Amino acid sequence: MGEMVKLTGLWKQKDKSGQTYLSGSLSAISKVMVMPNTFKKSEKDPDYFFYLGSTKEKREGYAPQPLNDL
């Protein structure tokens, strides 16, 4: 596995339904989340999804769009 670069640390969190996920930040304006795939239907589906987002809830002129399955 070649040389790797550590980007951030992740902390365990729980959502409102009690589901555990991991979260951290890459910079003062970006956050990351690793969420379990609760819609997994087959072994070929991923176990987790990695999300990258802004730490600011609302930015002027910016409306976040939901990501579709890739």
Side-chain angles (χ1 to χ4, degrees):
M1 203 158 118
E3 192 172 322
M4 298 181 72
V5 175
K6 185 189 314 182
L7 296 176
T8 189
L10 300 173
W11 287 262
K12 287 182 184 179
Q13 305 286 327
K14 289 200 183 251
D15 64 15
K16 292 177 184 177
S17 67
Q19 184 72 42
T20 300
Y21 66 94
L22 303 175
S23 68
S25 61
L26 290 177
S27 69
I29 60 169
S30 64
K31 64 182 174 182
V32 296
M33 293 175 59
V34 178
M35 309 280 298
N37 180 1
T38 58
F39 300 102
K40 186 171 178 166
K41 294 183 176 148
S42 77
E43 287 300 314
K44 292 183 179 182
D45 291 341
D47 294 317
Y48 295 89
F49 291 111
F50 180 90
Y51 296 93
L52 175 63
S54 171
T55 57
K56 296 184 178 189
E57 292 294 320
K58 293 184 180 179
R59 292 187 295 173
E60 190 174 325
Y62 174 75
Q65 299 297 315
L67 295 174
N68 295 326
D69 291 339
L70 300 176

